Amino acid sequence: MTCVVQITGGKDVGKTALAERIISNLKERGYTVSAIKVSHHDPEPPTKDTHRLRQAGADKVLFYNGEIYVLYTRTIVCSDIDADYIILEGLRDRKVGYKIHVGPDPRQTQTWY
């Protein structure tokens, strides 16, 4: 069974650094690990060919640079992510698996008088 670890928090609080450490630790122990980054940013500039192909309406765009593959798709089936652990960075307003929040508790509001 896959274990999902969700990391949330504000901007520049160390979410990615924590994800890197968790991933490295799990890999040293021999586990398979997938990482998911949730963001409101487009992953590439509009001038890149892959962006243009997506904008033209391609259902999927597979990018390969001789070393790594990047698949751009608008849908994904959870069973496609086959790993012992999934490290999910983002989705602050939802709870998916074991949740680690970095920084102040967003549910607590302070009133200063």
Side-chain angles (χ1 to χ4, degrees):
M1 177 178 253
T2 301
C3 177
V4 177
V5 178
Q6 177 186 15
I7 302 170
T8 64
K11 184 174 171 47
D12 297 327
V13 295
K15 298 180 302 293
T16 302
L18 177 59
E20 289 172 320
R21 291 178 67 190
I22 291 171
I23 292 167
S24 292
N25 244 315
L26 291 170
K27 291 304 293 177
E28 286 174 7
R29 290 178 166 86
Y31 293 107
T32 58
V33 182
S34 291
I36 301 173
K37 169 72 176 178
V38 178
S39 176
H40 63 279
H41 298 289
D42 197 320
E44 65 202 342
T47 56
K48 297 296 182 185
D49 292 345
T50 50
H51 180 87
R52 293 173 56 198
L53 296 170
R54 288 188 305 118
Q55 290 300 111
D59 295 307
K60 294 181 181 182
V61 176
L62 181 63
F63 171 82
Y64 177 65
N65 70 354
E67 183 180 345
I68 63 168
Y69 292 92
V70 177
L71 177 62
Y72 295 97
T73 180
R74 297 197 187 289
T75 60
I76 192 164
V77 179
C78 288
S79 60
D80 289 342
I81 306 171
D82 185 26
D84 296 318
Y85 286 86
I86 296 173
I87 309 303
L88 168 63
E89 184 181 329
L91 295 178
R92 184 183 336 192
D93 298 334
R94 298 190 184 118
K95 184 178 182 311
V96 182
Y98 296 98
K99 186 172 186 176
I100 301 169
H101 183 81
V102 181
D105 187 342
R107 296 170 298 175
Q108 293 180 351
T109 57
Q110 289 184 327
T111 305
W112 299 95
Y113 295 97

